[in-house]
Amino acid sequence: VQDIQISEMVLALDEMCSNLMIHSHQCNPDDLFEIHIYVQKGNPVIFELIDDGTVFDINQFSEPELGNLVNEKRKGGLGIRLVKSIMDKIEYQSQSGKNVCRLIKHVTFK
């Protein structure tokens, strides 16, 4: 795995955690969520974010055009575009009353 790939995955995970805290949990410091990280040579790296907040499926969100963001001087909307460009796949599912967001990245281990 190259350093740049690691930095990109950390950035995507940070963005998703921030969105989860802000949008699904309204910045409530008493709310908790779990992060599971699966790393196994020969398989993609998988990050699972597990919580019981409001589901915000970024696959269903249509990102604003970059030109519109610049013209409207909006600060939001870039994080989703960033996560989608970094990760290879993003999955959502409900499991035992919890929301599971799975970020998947194919990497080559050295």
Side-chain angles (χ1 to χ4, degrees):
V1 181
Q2 296 178 359
D3 288 346
I4 189 77
Q5 286 181 309
I6 292 170
S7 296
E8 287 175 345
M9 289 186 288
V10 168
L11 182 61
L13 186 60
D14 180 72
E15 180 62 30
M16 291 299 289
C17 288
S18 296
N19 280 343
L20 193 60
M21 289 185 280
I22 294 166
H23 300 295
S24 295
H25 295 276
Q26 293 73 46
C27 299
N28 184 343
D30 296 324
D31 284 358
L32 301 174
F33 61 91
E34 299 173 37
I35 300 174
H36 299 185
I37 303 171
Y38 303 95
V39 180
Q40 186 178 24
K41 194 170 185 173
N43 290 319
V45 175
I46 300 173
F47 301 94
E48 284 186 347
L49 303 174
I50 303 168
D51 78 309
D52 58 3
T54 306
V55 176
F56 177 69
D57 184 342
I58 70 171
N59 293 319
Q60 302 301 318
F61 181 79
S62 57
E63 309 111 36
E65 292 294 322
L66 282 176
N68 292 345
L69 288 173
V70 172
N71 291 336
E72 296 170 15
K73 297 185 170 99
R74 288 181 50 191
K75 293 181 183 173
L78 289 174
I80 290 170
R81 182 183 297 275
L82 184 70
V83 172
K84 285 181 172 181
S85 71
I86 292 171
M87 303 310 291
D88 294 320
K89 190 172 185 184
I90 302 165
E91 300 175 343
Y92 287 87
Q93 69 182 75
S94 291
Q95 233 175 337
S96 306
K98 301 274 187 182
N99 306 313
V100 179
C101 172
R102 193 171 292 114
L103 307 172
I104 300 165
K105 180 73 174 176
H106 295 276
V107 296
T108 303
F109 292 95
K110 293 183 179 183

